[in-house]
Amino acid sequence: MRAPFYRFIAILLLVIPGLTATYGFLAMKDAFFAQFAEDGHFLWGKFILGLILFLLGVAFIGGWTFFRDRKRNYVAPRFKANRRK
């Protein structure tokens, strides 16, 4: 009974940063295209917030994938952990 619950939590740990990155991308897109509206202002606050959310989401997912692949020995030799003999 515990295994399905843990897998659900693991999926949530990846979905939440994915949604954060998606919202950040959409906020950056909205801020960029707002300059073509009638008022013509660029929304710097929304763009910076979107950039931060996008980078945090992508960094979390990328880091999670990298450390999982490192644990399973799927990475190139230069990325493998240094082991002292």
Side-chain angles (χ1 to χ4, degrees):
M1 185 63 190
R2 291 186 133 178
F5 180 70
Y6 288 144
R7 288 182 185 215
F8 179 71
I9 296 297
I11 288 175
L12 280 181
L13 284 175
L14 290 177
V15 168
I16 292 171
L19 291 175
T20 303
T22 303
Y23 178 75
F25 177 78
L26 292 176
M28 287 190 303
K29 179 188 67 105
D30 291 342
F32 177 74
F33 286 114
Q35 69 181 341
F36 300 118
E38 292 178 9
D39 57 355
H41 295 310
F42 191 79
L43 306 173
W44 283 104
K46 189 171 187 175
F47 184 81
I48 298 296
L49 178 67
L51 181 66
I52 291 170
L53 290 175
F54 177 73
L55 290 177
L56 285 175
V58 168
F60 182 86
I61 293 173
W64 182 84
T65 305
F66 176 72
F67 284 110
R68 181 193 60 139
D69 288 350
R70 181 191 257 183
K71 182 173 66 173
R72 296 179 183 185
N73 253 351
Y74 292 154
V75 296
R78 66 179 178 164
F79 294 119
K80 290 184 180 179
N82 293 334
R83 295 183 183 166
R84 301 192 184 236
K85 293 181 179 182

